[in-house]
Amino acid sequence: ALDLIPEEDRREEGKYDIHAFRTSGTVVQGWHKDGDEETPVDWVLSYIVSKSGFGAATQISRNADGREIVHEEELGEGQLIMHKDNEFYHNVTSLTDTPTYPRPQRDALIMAIRPKL
C-alpha cells in the first residue's frame, strides 16, 4: 500500500495506522478528516474487504459540509480509494438493506499514513 503514495509525497520516516472496521447501517458519523494538528495524516487509504447490501458510497469533498463533492463512488469488495487528508474531507453514506441482504454489512481496512511525530 505504501507504494501507492506518489514518490514526491513520500517521507524518509513516518508511520502508519491500520484500523479494521465492521459496520452496518451508519458507516461514519459525517464529514471529517482523519488527522488534526497534533496527529496529522498525509494520506488515507480505504480498502473494502467484504460488503453486502447497497450504499456505503465514499464521498470526497473540498469543504467540511460536503457542498463541493469532487468524487463519489460505491466501492465493492477488493476495491481501494485513497486521498490526501489535508486537502479533502470524506464521508461514507449509510448501508441499506434489500430482500437479498436483510442485514447489510461492510468490512473495511483504513490506513492512515502519517509523518513521524
Side-chain angles (χ1 to χ4, degrees), residues 21-100:
F21 291 98
R22 172 169 282 170
T23 54
S24 57
T26 301
V27 178
V28 299
Q29 295 297 319
W31 292 99
H32 67 283
K33 292 186 178 209
D34 287 355
D36 56 36
E37 287 184 21
E38 291 183 23
T39 54
V41 170
D42 293 330
W43 289 87
V44 176
L45 291 86
S46 301
Y47 175 76
I48 308 307
V49 177
S50 66
K51 179 182 163 191
S52 62
F54 294 97
T58 298
Q59 301 172 314
I60 309 291
S61 176
R62 293 199 187 278
N63 49 38
D65 59 6
R67 285 181 293 136
E68 192 180 340
I69 294 175
V70 296
H71 187 80
E72 182 171 3
E73 185 170 355
E74 187 176 324
L75 300 174
E77 212 168 280
Q79 291 186 300
L80 174 130
I81 192 168
M82 64 187 277
H83 69 277
K84 282 187 165 184
D85 195 60
N86 67 340
E87 293 181 17
F88 301 101
Y89 291 85
H90 63 282
N91 181 45
V92 181
T93 64
S94 294
L95 275 165
T96 58
D97 59 350
T98 66
T100 308

